[in-house]
Amino acid sequence: MVNQVYSKNGDELKTDFVLHPGEVLLDEIEARELKKSAVAAELDILPGHLSEMFKGKRSISAMTAVKLEKVLGVSAEFWLGLQSDYDLAQARRILAA
């Protein structure tokens, strides 16, 4: 997700900061005080795969996004939007290099 930062005048300031959706997912799970292994079981994925999502080593697919919607009550569109923002930022960073 690209964070939007605004000046006092309301002008948008550009930032390069983009979170991997796995980081947001980890924050959400911790805020709800859920057991990571229980969340992995509800998502029908291996705990190691969930850990890889947290570390940004694994993307959130459409199927996982729909499962997260059922488990956490946060829309699949939100999770896919985060993933899309992250993927676009990575592609732009690669092409700019």
Side-chain angles (χ1 to χ4, degrees):
M1 173 167 144
V2 177
N3 291 332
Q4 294 174 313
V5 179
Y6 298 92
S7 70
K8 289 181 186 179
N9 301 329
D11 298 323
E12 184 177 354
L13 303 174
K14 299 294 179 192
T15 62
D16 240 5
F17 183 69
V18 179
L19 287 175
H20 186 278
E23 294 176 73
V24 177
L25 178 58
L26 177 59
D27 288 344
E28 186 66 25
I29 289 170
E30 288 177 344
R32 295 178 187 215
E33 298 180 353
L34 301 173
K35 287 189 151 232
K36 295 170 192 159
S37 59
V39 172
E42 286 189 66
L43 295 174
D44 195 29
I45 62 174
L46 296 170
H49 290 180
L50 185 60
S51 292
E52 288 175 349
M53 272 188 229
F54 297 154
K55 296 174 185 172
K57 294 180 179 179
R58 196 173 274 270
S59 297
I60 293 180
S61 67
M63 183 63 72
T64 301
V66 172
K67 290 177 181 181
L68 285 168
E69 182 177 68
K70 286 185 173 189
V71 172
L72 299 176
V74 177
S75 76
E77 290 82 5
F78 173 79
W79 297 111
L80 287 179
L82 289 178
Q83 187 65 59
S84 178
D85 288 347
Y86 181 80
D87 292 345
L88 286 169
Q90 291 299 98
R92 287 182 176 124
R93 193 172 295 132
I94 289 168
L95 287 178

